Amino acid sequence: MTSQVNHWIAGTETGGSAARSSPVYDPATGIVSAQVVLGSASDVDEAVRAAREAFPAWRDASLARRQTVLFAFRELLNQRRSELAGIITAEHGKILDDALGEVARGQEVVEFACGLPHLLKGGYSENASTRVDVHSVRQPLGVVAVISPFNFPAMVPMWFFPIAIACGNTVVIKPSEKDPSAAVWLARLWAEAGLPPGVFNVVHGDKEAVDRLLEHPDVRGVSFVGSTPIARHVYETATRHGKRVQALGGAKNHMVVLPDADLDLAADAAVNAGFGSAGERCMAVSAVVAVEPVADELIRKIVERMARIRTGDGRRSCDMGPLVTAAHRDRVASYLDAGVTEGATLVVDGRKVEPDGAPDGFWLGPTLFDDVSPTMSIYTDEIFGPVLSVLRADSFDNAMTLVNSNPYGNGAAIFTNDGGAARRFEAEVEAGMVGINVPIPVPMAYYSFGGWKASLFGDTHAYGAEGVHFFTRGKVVTTRWVDPSHGGLSLGFPRSD
């Protein structure tokens, strides 16, 4: 009998209305491991109500109190990160090392949030006018929603909720129904760390739950990561209802390889960035732009490395796991026929993989196309799987034109030993995150994550200083005190709480 993954509302696990549910699979076996309840609008209302009622006390909690809870959460996560990684692998399919890396990157944002008392400091101008002082403060929004994707069930939510909570907001998270258990595990960890009930809530669901969060009058801000069509829907719907929104959309990340590049380094990078996490990453490299005459040699080196990749169960020390569901595997696999039909050369066919895993797992091996043109669907679409396309350019200028003509602008990388070319690429490429001899330029937590063009809806990127500004509102106070005031005696040591 399979288990049930429930909501977490007001510090308690609950099945809510439980009128509908959805299967959760172990992607490496194809077996249903659990049923996740799908929340109704009334379940969302209950979670938002709990968050709204918890907000005044959490908003008024001292920075020292909030910081104490954040540090406790950080320590618990450090101690039990292997447990969380195991949950991720069991429901998403990525290998255990990759899952541990996901937890570590999310933990970076938790650690950044632990220092938020410094980042929340306002400004002060004494005697701006005669006996008039002016100061600024940043205050929390209230109830905020986080709608996260399946590919990083722990890291992506951690881009948002540690900062939201540290800033004094309360949170309702709607995780992907494909791998929902990590969010509930994190909720239990928050409770163990001392976070008051109602500050962190989890509601599972599909479009019904999402749309209710976008429309709910008590939700003040929405953070979203997913495909561009859904990001646009989230942004347009939530802003129409007066909410602050950061909606991170899809990507088609390019890696430009110049003739002077170290081709061994470039080949390693293309394979690691293209096939890590089975390509189910918004920062995965899916398009390699080889500036001639290096394409043939680069492809040869990539193929050599692909032959050494072990695809299989992520709990068996393999290099690449399965895709998250059978439907997604079939969708990705359909692009292989489409690419051949449209004239690309299928160099390595991932459908022929012999996985180290159960026969009913959702397998698709690393796939490589050559002779790809910008009009082919394998280039225009975000495939979100282990499919790497090589496009050939005859000059640096043409490579730049190709990259900048793409509607997405999430990440872009260049491999070269020419500092001038790298500097020009950095200045001119139309992408929010740029790597110089780094294939996946995901920023550290004290910077901010986000793309340009169709990869971002809204003006604010995730985490870092921009995350602090997203989850707070500025207020400026002008003060005049005509007479000095006197306090009573107190010889005790000053307290911060």
Side-chain angles (χ1 to χ4, degrees), residues 181-213:
S181 297
V184 180
W185 187 93
L186 289 164
R188 294 195 188 99
L189 205 70
W190 273 120
E192 191 174 340
L195 191 70
V199 177
F200 185 86
N201 307 275
V202 179
V203 176
H204 305 291
D206 50 17
K207 189 176 187 298
E208 180 180 349
V210 168
D211 285 345
R212 182 55 183 158
L213 283 170

Side-chain angles (χ1 to χ4, degrees), residues 5 13 37 63 126 130 149 184 219 246 252 293 355 374 415 445 475-476:
V5 183
E13 187 175 335
V37 297
L63 296 182
E126 183 182 21
T130 304
V184 180
V219 174
Q246 49 181 177
K252 199 71 181 181
F415 277 72
K475 181 181 287 185
V476 179

Side-chain angles (χ1 to χ4, degrees), residues 421-460:
R423 192 172 188 277
R424 182 181 164 196
F425 184 84
E426 175 186 340
E428 297 180 9
V429 72
E430 295 180 11
M433 293 167 285
V434 180
I436 309 298
N437 296 318
V438 174
I440 303 180
V442 175
M444 297 297 289
Y446 38 84
Y447 285 91
S448 296
F449 180 104
W452 289 9
K453 301 192 287 189
S455 295
L456 177 72
F457 297 85
D459 298 321
T460 308

Side-chain angles (χ1 to χ4, degrees), residues 187-477:
R188 294 195 188 99
L189 205 70
W190 273 120
E192 191 174 340
L195 191 70
V199 177
F200 185 86
N201 307 275
V202 179
V203 176
H204 305 291
D206 50 17
K207 189 176 187 298
E208 180 180 349
V210 168
D211 285 345
R212 182 55 183 158
L213 283 170
L214 301 182
E215 298 167 359
H216 199 294
D218 290 330
V219 174
R220 304 299 185 193
V222 177
S223 300
F224 171 85
V225 177
S227 68
T228 285
I230 306 302
R232 182 180 287 109
H233 168 75
V234 167
Y235 179 76
E236 292 175 350
T237 304
T239 54
R240 189 167 64 248
H241 287 83
K243 306 183 193 313
R244 180 178 293 188
V245 184
Q246 49 181 177
L248 283 65
K252 199 71 181 181
N253 303 310
H254 296 75
M255 183 178 123
V256 176
V257 181
L258 296 189
D260 68 309
D262 181 327
L263 293 188
D264 287 313
L265 178 66
D268 287 341
V271 171
N272 295 338
F275 306 125
S277 196
E280 295 173 325
R281 297 193 288 208
C282 64
M283 287 296 288
V285 167
S286 55
V288 173
V289 183
V291 179
E292 296 294 19
V294 302
D296 289 340
E297 180 66 10
L298 178 62
I299 289 170
R300 184 184 66 78
K301 290 178 178 292
I302 289 174
V303 171
E304 287 177 355
R305 287 156 173 80
M306 290 175 67
R308 300 198 293 267
I309 295 175
R310 289 181 58 237
T311 301
D313 193 319
R315 294 157 293 206
R316 299 186 184 180
S317 300
C318 294
D319 302 306
M320 193 185 90
L323 274 69
V324 67
T325 64
H328 183 59
R329 185 268 318 278
D330 293 345
R331 174 187 173 275
V332 174
S334 72
Y335 278 98
L336 276 61
D337 287 330
V340 172
T341 299
E342 293 170 356
T345 301
L346 183 57
V347 180
V348 179
D349 187 341
R351 294 169 296 191
K352 297 178 180 179
V353 70
E354 297 181 3
D356 181 5
D360 293 330
F362 308 140
W363 309 113
L364 182 67
T367 296
L368 180 65
F369 277 105
D370 187 15
D371 303 313
V372 177
S373 71
T375 59
M376 296 177 180
S377 61
I378 55 174
Y379 176 75
T380 59
D381 296 357
E382 184 184 27
I383 298 175
F384 222 63
V387 180
L388 188 62
S389 296
V390 176
L391 298 91
R392 297 172 181 242
D394 57 11
S395 68
F396 175 86
D397 285 341
N398 287 341
M400 284 292 296
T401 298
L402 189 152
V403 174
N404 286 341
S405 297
N406 193 274
Y408 297 109
N410 209 40
I414 187 169
F415 277 72
T416 180
N417 287 310
D418 185 335
R423 192 172 188 277
R424 182 181 164 196
F425 184 84
E426 175 186 340
E428 297 180 9
V429 72
E430 295 180 11
M433 293 167 285
V434 180
I436 309 298
N437 296 318
V438 174
I440 303 180
V442 175
M444 297 297 289
Y446 38 84
Y447 285 91
S448 296
F449 180 104
W452 289 9
K453 301 192 287 189
S455 295
L456 177 72
F457 297 85
D459 298 321
T460 308
H461 291 175
Y463 62 76
E466 291 191 49
V468 176
H469 278 253
F470 180 82
F471 289 114
T472 57
R473 293 184 292 183
K475 181 181 287 185
V476 179
V477 181

